[in-house]
Amino acid sequence: MRRLFLNNKNRGFTLTELLITMAILSILAGIAVPIYLGQRSKAAHSEAKANLLSIRLFEEQRFAEIGSYGTNSTTYDFTETVTSLQTLLPGFRPGNAAALNFDYQVVVGGTSITFTATATGKASSIVNGATFAIDNNNNRSGF
C-alpha cells in the first residue's frame, strides 16, 4: 500500500481543473475589457471638452479686445492639414494635430458677433463619430 503512494508521479493538473481556470479567466476578461475601453473613450472625450472650453475663452478674449469673433461667415479649422484656427486664436495650442483624437472647427456667424466651435472625432481614433459643440452663449451639445 505504501508503495502506491511513493511511486505515484502524477502530480499535474487535471483537464477539468484547467478548463475551470480558463472559464474563470475568460469571464474576468469579458468584464475588464469593456470597462477599460470605456475609460479610454471618456479620456478622449475630456480632450475635446477641455479644448472647446479653451476655444470659447480665447474667442471671448478676442471679442473683448477687438469687438468681433473673427471675419464674417468664415470657417477656421484645426486638423492635421489645416491650422487656420491658430491664425484666429494664436493662444490656442492643443498640441500636435496628428496626435489629437479630434479635429476642431470654429464657424463665425455673418455678423461677427456669434460663433460655434465644434470637435469631431477622427475616423482613426477610438472616438470616431463623436461630436461636441459650444457657442458664444455657452450652449453646449454632447457634453
Side-chain angles (χ1 to χ4, degrees), residues 8-139:
N8 189 0
K9 295 187 179 187
N10 297 331
R11 295 185 188 166
F13 296 106
T14 65
L15 181 60
T16 306
E17 291 170 332
L18 291 174
L19 288 174
I20 290 172
T21 303
M22 293 299 291
I24 291 171
L25 289 176
S26 64
I27 289 170
L28 290 174
I31 293 170
V33 169
I35 291 172
Y36 171 72
L37 293 176
Q39 291 302 319
R40 283 185 58 209
S41 178
K42 282 183 184 179
H45 287 180
S46 68
E47 169 204 311
K49 293 173 186 178
N51 284 333
L52 285 176
L53 291 173
S54 293
I55 289 171
R56 181 179 175 277
L57 290 175
F58 283 123
E59 281 283 24
E60 292 301 333
Q61 180 181 6
R62 177 188 165 85
F63 190 80
E65 292 173 358
I66 299 173
S68 73
Y69 290 115
T71 307
N72 293 351
S73 304
T74 304
T75 300
Y76 301 92
D77 294 309
F78 187 81
T79 65
E80 291 181 39
T81 56
V82 180
T83 58
S84 62
L85 182 55
Q86 286 189 316
T87 59
L88 175 70
L89 307 172
F92 179 66
R93 303 214 180 278
N96 182 5
L100 297 175
N101 293 306
F102 288 85
D103 289 328
Y104 299 92
Q105 182 179 63
V106 174
V107 178
V108 177
T111 59
S112 296
I113 59 169
T114 62
F115 77 89
T116 301
T118 307
T120 306
K122 292 182 181 178
S124 61
S125 72
I126 194 169
V127 291
N128 180 19
T131 303
F132 298 94
I134 193 167
D135 66 7
N136 56 294
N137 293 320
N138 202 23
N139 295 320

